[in-house]
Amino acid sequence: MLDEVEGTVQGHRDGHGFVSRDDGESDIYLPPNEMRAVLHKDRVKVRIVRSDRKGRPEGRVVEIVERPKQPIIGRLLHESGIWIVAPEDKRYGQDVMIPKAATGMAKPGQVVVVELTEPPALYGQPVGRVKEILGEIDDPGMEIEIAVRKYSVPHEFSEACIALARTLPDKVGPQDKRRRVDLTDVPLVTIDGEDARDFDDAVYCEPAKIGKGKSAAKGWRLLVAIADVSHYVETGSAIDIDAYDRATSVYFPRRVIPMLPEKLSNGLCSLNPEVERLCMVCDMMVTEDGEVDAYQFYPAVMWSHARFTYTEVAAILANTRGPEAIKRKDRIADLMNLHDVYRALLKSRQRRGAVDFETVETQIICDESGRIEKIVPRTRNDAHKLIEEAMLAANVCSADFIAQSKHAGLFRVHEGPTPEKQEILRNYLKATGVGMSISDDPSPGEFQAIAAATKDRPDAQQIHSMLLRSMQQAIYTPINSGHFGLAFDAYTHFTSPIRRYPDLLVHRVIKAILAKTRYQLPTLPTPGEAHAKLSRRLEKGLASKVAEPGQKPKKLSAESQAWQAAGLHCSANERRADEASRDVEAWLKCKYMREHLGEEYGGVVSSATSFGIFVTLDAMYVEGLVHITELGGEYFRFDEARQELRGERTGMRYAIGTRVRVQVSRVDLDGRKIDFRLVHEGEEFQNRAMKDKGVVREGPGRSAPDNGPGRKASGKRAVRKISEPLAREGSPSARKSKAAAKQTPDKSRGHKPRRRS
């Protein structure tokens, strides 16, 4: 009898799909005919029937085990008297039929949310009804409305949560200050981005003597004060239930979906200037070498003496007599002390060999209607780094405090590269003649050393990208195995409880330890389908660490299992938030680039694949695909070791960092894809431009539901033109999603909307 396995269906926009197996083994390919009776995200039982021509196991669906109740978002179309919804997420693979009576008040062309009333069958399309009308495709913020539903991001607080928030006070009361250290006279300040609205951390530093008598050495006392969210959000309360469900705030251009109601996130918990606020303090003594010699935690009440921006602090540090410094003369000495302790902490980072690659991050600037005005690089100055190092120090102390107390809690764990990724990296370093490699049990210092040694090479960007891609994703787990990227034996998240649920749990655990009690997790939902992959990874990781062959991993206690479930939930929802944010950014970039069809730009190859190269434009920081068929009239072979495409006849190479000139040729808004074509020297612009004007492609296929002015509101299908998308094997958003997931220097506090988690 052939193998039968269970797993989750992952659809593909081209009609086929695969099953992600519960046992963590290789995915099973599903051909288009098998996909007709199932939907993306269905849990199924599959029988492996053969291997396809690519050597992949091919399956036949035996049983649909579970069909999650998930809405489908798409545009309502009226064609030949039939109403259908074309799913915005092309992984669903087929349109949904809508009976006329089930369209409600929706009009053709509008974006709607559909609830299925009849599942798909081998010879029949799925049937549904319009559950919600989101509006017109070009309405401001439509991309966010789609994303929150597409990724099931909770975006409305429960009535119980809102009612409970209303009962909370507007300011700190006398009873709240009991058994707290009064720090209102200590000039703590906040340092955040210009657009920040919730301030969850404040800092203060002063010179101090470490040790006693003649052996006393110079150092600093560093205070990191964090909003005491746990004082107001009680375990198991309506606000706590909603916060756990969200697990994190989600940041979009021009909009934030907060983890906590605004009364807490922007008001009562936010460390706003010149008002009393409750906080949890990590009070540290830092040596000249940047080592934390001693620390203590305690609840306090504070008064923020100033709200600084990164730009402002960087200007003051650069010129203590400049205009910014003159306005803040009372705080200059404190800022200089913070800068001094930062430089000491930096020495410690360098000694540890923590991974610290400089990468370009971008910020989307939108106008009032939500349209992109420009995309600019986000620069990190000394003020950003100063806060980052202070937060890292507090997070390490938190992890140490929990570990020393032997209390259960969530650690932020980042493990080193897997043996498979190590081998790929070694082959790459050898093929590119770097002259350095990594050991069988590599340390982060080895990665940092390779990065430092190659920073002046022309292919430095390519090398650093490969170093980052070889690393794993950081997760939340009660089983501490250190943080590889930051080179810490124990690390957790303590510094952002307004926007991250794991930080709130860490605060509760620290308070329990201080009170000599034990924090009991509330009854939490069992992780479901969204967490299955992470759960398998964790179990495989535990099994691989068993010392003796045949020995079983130690069974987790009920308490450990509860913490593991909480860690899986928070990790999975962090991924969900990242995916939703990337989806919105990709949508906005596609709308932006539709206005630049036919225009030429210089760019750099950001990754090479077997089907083409992804190019990031210099001027706009937008990425698109140059399909392999657009590279020229010869056969290109993908060299996996070198991560490059090489022409067999001319030897022409395209690798990460290669400079090219491209023309914007196609934009697919629904697929979140941008296609470029390579511009060859000597080719006349007019000839190139003519290739992209109104040439009709023969053959089947429907245009994307929104491809610009050519699409009429009636929702009738248009003939595909060359400016419209062609099916292809990968997308910049999907590719970047994988790359971003592997980039790890796990920054501690993540200022909005920049995520450093």
Side-chain angles (χ1 to χ4, degrees):
M1 182 178 170
L2 294 171
D3 292 342
E4 286 188 6
V5 296
E6 287 191 14
T8 304
V9 174
Q10 303 292 329
H12 192 279
R13 63 178 283 114
D14 294 333
H16 62 267
F18 62 89
V19 174
S20 176
R21 294 169 60 158
D22 288 351
D23 58 12
E25 296 300 318
S26 298
D27 296 334
I28 300 168
Y29 173 71
L30 293 181
N33 62 313
E34 285 296 316
M35 285 295 293
R36 287 195 59 80
V38 295
L39 289 171
H40 173 61
K41 293 186 180 179
D42 278 355
R43 285 192 43 73
V44 295
K45 186 178 286 185
V46 176
R47 180 180 296 130
I48 300 171
V49 291
R50 64 173 73 85
S51 291
D52 71 358
R53 56 189 176 81
K54 293 183 180 179
R56 299 174 295 188
E58 185 177 312
R60 179 171 297 148
V61 177
V62 177
E63 179 188 348
I64 297 171
V65 178
E66 182 187 356
R67 173 157 285 148
K69 287 186 177 180
Q70 52 191 347
I72 295 176
I73 301 98
R75 289 182 72 184
L76 182 66
L77 307 176
H78 192 206
E79 302 182 344
S80 306
I82 298 171
W83 293 85
I84 61 168
V85 166
E88 188 275 340
D89 188 339
K90 298 305 173 194
R91 291 175 296 181
Y92 282 100
Q94 49 190 318
D95 297 335
V96 180
M97 305 283 289
I98 310 291
K100 175 67 177 77
T103 58
M105 303 293 290
K107 298 174 183 175
Q110 285 187 319
V111 181
V112 296
V113 180
V114 171
E115 180 181 62
L116 288 186
T117 54
E118 291 180 31
L122 202 56
Y123 301 106
Q125 287 177 268
V127 179
R129 67 177 185 88
V130 174
K131 182 181 173 185
E132 184 183 3
I133 302 168
L134 299 185
E136 303 298 332
I137 193 73
D138 288 319
D139 286 351
M142 178 54 67
E143 68 282 357
I144 296 173
E145 296 298 332
I146 290 173
V148 295
R149 290 161 178 83
K150 180 177 176 180
Y151 293 96
S152 302
V153 174
H155 58 285
E156 293 177 342
F157 288 108
S158 66
E159 289 182 11
C161 173
I162 294 167
L164 182 57
R166 282 200 200 102
T167 68
L168 294 172
D170 293 319
K171 59 184 181 180
V172 174
Q175 71 280 5
D176 297 320
K177 301 180 192 178
R178 293 196 326 227
R179 294 188 291 278
R180 287 181 179 268
V181 177
D182 187 346
L183 294 181
T184 53
D185 60 332
V186 176
L188 286 151
V189 299
T190 61
I191 305 174
D192 290 271
E194 278 81 357
D195 55 351
R197 293 176 63 200
D198 53 332
F199 310 114
D200 42 18
D201 54 85
V203 288
Y204 170 74
C205 183
E206 63 185 16
K209 290 284 185 183
I210 297 177
K212 294 180 180 179
K214 292 181 180 179
S215 62
K218 287 182 180 179
W220 295 271
R221 182 189 180 199
L222 173 62
L223 271 66
V224 173
I226 306 298
D228 191 357
V229 175
S230 63
H231 180 83
Y232 298 106
V233 181
E234 294 182 10
T235 298
S237 69
I239 296 175
D240 190 43
I241 291 167
D242 277 26
Y244 175 77
D245 189 32
R246 295 173 180 226
T248 180
S249 295
V250 187
Y251 294 91
F252 300 111
R254 299 195 322 127
R255 183 177 167 189
V256 178
I257 296 178
M259 184 180 82
L260 299 171
E262 190 172 346
K263 182 164 185 177
L264 289 166
S265 60
N266 295 348
L268 193 54
C269 291
S270 183
L271 306 181
N272 298 331
E274 300 181 359
V275 290
E276 286 186 339
R277 286 289 183 259
L278 304 184
C279 58
M280 283 295 293
V281 177
C282 181
D283 193 336
M284 297 167 276
M285 299 299 286
V286 183
T287 68
E288 284 191 302
D289 290 332
E291 299 299 328
V292 177
D293 183 72
Y295 66 82
Q296 62 176 326
F297 288 93
Y298 51 83
V301 58
M302 63 163 283
W303 171 286
S304 174
H305 284 57
R307 182 270 202 258
F308 283 104
T309 67
Y310 293 122
T311 307
E312 189 180 9
V313 170
I316 293 170
L317 295 177
N319 182 5
T320 54
R321 295 182 180 179
E324 293 86 358
I326 291 169
K327 292 177 190 173
R328 304 278 201 169
K329 58 181 185 294
D330 292 343
R331 301 275 73 84
I332 292 174
D334 298 340
L335 291 178
M336 298 311 291
N337 288 333
L338 281 165
H339 199 223
D340 288 341
V341 80
Y342 152 67
R343 285 186 288 211
L345 291 167
L346 204 56
K347 289 181 197 171
S348 175
R349 171 190 275 271
Q350 289 160 352
R351 275 198 313 277
R352 294 195 318 272
V355 176
D356 189 17
F357 304 150
E358 286 295 333
T359 55
V360 177
E361 294 200 25
T362 58
Q363 180 181 6
I364 293 177
I365 309 295
C366 295
D367 60 19
E368 290 183 3
S369 66
R371 177 185 165 276
I372 291 183
E373 280 187 345
K374 56 185 176 180
I375 301 170
V376 296
R378 192 188 289 275
T379 54
R380 288 176 67 231
N381 55 41
D382 268 11
H384 289 91
K385 296 173 185 176
L386 176 160
I387 288 296
E388 186 177 295
E389 288 300 328
M391 299 304 123
L392 288 174
N395 285 336
V396 170
C397 292
S398 306
D400 183 71
F401 191 60
I402 293 170
Q404 294 288 345
S405 72
K406 305 227 177 335
H407 193 298
L410 286 185
F411 294 93
R412 181 68 168 174
V413 167
H414 173 235
E415 296 185 335
T418 61
E420 295 80 12
K421 289 183 177 179
Q422 287 182 38
E423 192 59 31
I424 291 169
L425 180 59
R426 284 192 199 98
N427 291 338
Y428 170 76
L429 294 171
K430 184 178 179 181
T432 49
V434 169
M436 300 172 72
S437 191
I438 56 171
S439 64
D440 291 338
D441 185 18
S443 69
E446 292 175 42
F447 283 74
Q448 192 61 27
I450 294 169
T454 57
K455 64 182 172 58
D456 295 325
R457 282 180 50 142
D459 57 351
Q461 183 185 355
Q462 179 182 3
I463 294 166
H464 293 186
S465 178
M466 284 299 295
L467 290 171
L468 284 169
R469 289 181 191 180
S470 70
M471 296 183 190
Q472 296 191 61
Q473 227 170 349
I475 60 169
Y476 295 107
T477 170
I479 301 156
N480 176 41
S481 52
H483 196 293
F484 180 84
L486 292 172
F488 287 132
D489 292 333
Y491 185 72
T492 193
H493 277 167
F494 163 77
T495 54
S496 295
I498 291 177
R499 65 181 190 85
R500 288 190 306 225
Y501 197 81
D503 303 53
L504 176 55
L505 289 175
V506 166
H507 277 236
R508 289 171 176 168
V509 168
I510 288 173
K511 279 188 174 179
I513 296 167
L514 291 173
K516 295 183 170 52
T517 59
R518 196 162 185 87
Y519 177 67
Q520 184 70 42
L521 272 174
T523 303
L524 301 172
T526 304
E529 177 268 327
H531 316 95
K533 188 175 180 182
L534 280 167
S535 182
R536 289 197 303 270
R537 170 183 158 183
L538 192 63
E539 286 167 7
K540 285 176 77 175
L542 283 171
S544 68
K545 290 174 188 169
V546 174
E548 299 297 326
Q551 182 183 348
K552 291 185 178 179
K554 187 179 177 183
K555 193 169 182 181
L556 295 174
S557 65
E559 183 185 44
S560 293
Q561 286 178 345
W563 279 99
Q564 183 177 328
L568 287 167
H569 173 82
C570 292
S571 299
N573 285 8
E574 178 187 41
R575 310 284 180 270
R576 177 178 71 183
D578 287 343
E579 287 172 1
S581 296
R582 279 195 294 269
D583 191 74
V584 167
E585 288 194 10
W587 166 293
L588 289 171
K589 287 178 179 179
C590 285
K591 286 196 80 171
Y592 184 51
M593 293 310 294
R594 274 196 326 192
E595 300 169 14
H596 300 278
L597 277 169
E599 295 181 19
E600 293 184 20
Y601 300 94
V604 174
V605 175
S606 47
S607 65
T609 71
S610 59
F611 52 85
I613 55 174
F614 288 99
V615 175
T616 300
L617 304 183
D618 296 334
M620 295 177 168
Y621 303 96
V622 168
E623 188 187 59
L625 175 74
V626 179
H627 197 270
I628 197 164
T629 55
E630 299 278 8
L631 292 180
E634 64 175 310
Y635 184 77
F636 280 83
R637 186 179 296 277
F638 179 57
D639 185 332
E640 188 173 7
R642 294 177 181 270
Q643 290 290 299
E644 67 180 23
L645 283 173
R646 184 190 291 263
E648 288 198 340
R649 180 171 52 82
T650 62
M652 182 66 194
R653 296 164 54 193
Y654 294 101
I656 300 171
T658 302
R659 293 210 58 80
V660 292
R661 189 156 186 82
V662 296
Q663 182 188 37
V664 184
S665 61
R666 303 178 188 95
V667 174
D668 173 7
L669 191 61
D670 282 350
R672 312 291 194 268
K673 295 175 182 178
I674 299 165
D675 284 347
F676 299 145
R677 59 182 297 274
L678 213 56
V679 173
H680 300 284
E681 286 185 29
E683 187 181 358
E684 290 183 16
F685 177 78
Q686 185 178 359
N687 290 341
R688 292 197 303 270
M690 288 303 292
K691 291 179 184 177
D692 288 291
K693 284 195 174 181
V695 181
V696 177
R697 283 196 185 277
E698 298 294 332
R702 183 177 78 229
S703 70
D706 182 40
N707 254 311
R711 183 68 186 239
K712 295 183 180 178
S714 68
K716 290 188 177 179
R717 304 191 181 204
V719 179
R720 188 189 296 279
K721 297 183 180 179
I722 199 165
S723 61
E724 295 174 6
L726 294 177
R728 67 182 191 208
E729 297 176 58
S731 73
S733 56
R735 178 69 190 217
K736 274 307 195 192
S737 172
K738 291 178 182 177
K742 297 167 188 169
Q743 295 183 10
T744 54
D746 191 326
K747 313 301 184 186
S748 61
R749 106 175 175 152
H751 281 283
K752 293 61 80 176
R754 170 183 166 80
R755 180 175 293 276
R756 292 198 219 138
S757 59

